[in-house]
Amino acid sequence: MPIGLVLEGGGMRGAYTSGVLEVLLNKGIEFPNVYGISAGACNALSYISRQKNRNYNIFYQYIADKR
């Protein structure tokens, strides 16, 4: 049975998802298929490439950036 992880978009909602993915990375839990849209795609790339804290830094360093 194929198993996959689907990650939602939604701007700052992705901050919560990035925290959950950090836990999965720390526990060594991986999925053979990962899909994401918008913020979920950014989270997916960091998760797949095992870049811990990348999305946390992005969400919290740029939250006040008006660009």
Side-chain angles (χ1 to χ4, degrees):
M1 173 188 316
I3 296 175
L5 179 65
V6 179
L7 305 171
E8 80 286 1
M12 288 308 295
R13 284 185 287 196
Y16 177 84
T17 302
S18 69
V20 172
L21 294 175
E22 288 291 320
V23 172
L24 295 177
L25 283 174
N26 289 334
K27 300 274 185 185
I29 299 172
E30 297 180 15
F31 293 85
N33 301 298
V34 181
Y35 307 93
I37 187 74
S38 192
C42 295
N43 281 330
L45 289 172
S46 295
Y47 174 74
I48 292 167
S49 60
R50 295 178 185 87
Q51 294 184 47
K52 294 183 179 181
N53 294 317
R54 179 181 177 273
N55 282 323
Y56 173 85
N57 291 331
I58 290 170
F59 282 116
Y60 292 101
Q61 286 180 2
Y62 295 103
I63 191 170
D65 192 328
K66 294 187 190 296
R67 292 178 287 167

